[in-house]
Amino acid sequence: THVLLVVDDEPAARRTLVRLLRKADPDQQVHAAGSVREAEEARRAAIRQQVVRRRGRTYVINKQNSRLKARQG
């Protein structure tokens, strides 16, 4: 299930709130945003993301919007 939070607050407060909700229920996907439009885009991006391991690094890629990517390790 997805939880969309629209919080008109500082980004640091949003991150803290998301971290607490994820810790309470790790199976639930939580997104916090400053506006409804931003929250909807975050939800759509999460659906299209893939987690890939390449050469010992973990990447999160989005083939439909190549700007949305992350690397760890």
Side-chain angles (χ1 to χ4, degrees):
T1 60
H2 292 294
V3 175
L4 291 174
L5 300 172
V6 179
V7 182
D8 191 26
D9 239 348
E10 294 181 23
R14 275 189 254 159
R15 284 193 300 271
T16 303
L17 183 60
V18 168
R19 197 175 304 125
L20 290 172
L21 288 171
R22 284 183 182 155
K23 190 178 261 188
D25 189 4
D27 295 332
Q28 196 167 27
Q29 291 189 9
V30 180
H31 306 284
S35 68
V36 174
R37 185 179 200 177
E38 190 179 330
E40 186 61 25
E41 178 57 33
R43 184 188 67 80
R44 277 195 230 116
I47 291 170
R48 297 184 300 246
Q49 287 176 347
Q50 291 180 322
V51 178
V52 181
R53 287 191 50 87
R54 296 178 183 157
R55 296 184 298 268
R57 291 188 176 170
T58 304
Y59 295 91
V60 178
I61 60 172
N62 187 328
K63 290 190 176 183
Q64 290 182 339
N65 189 349
S66 61
R67 291 180 301 153
L68 302 174
K69 54 189 144 207
R71 183 185 83 187
Q72 180 177 353

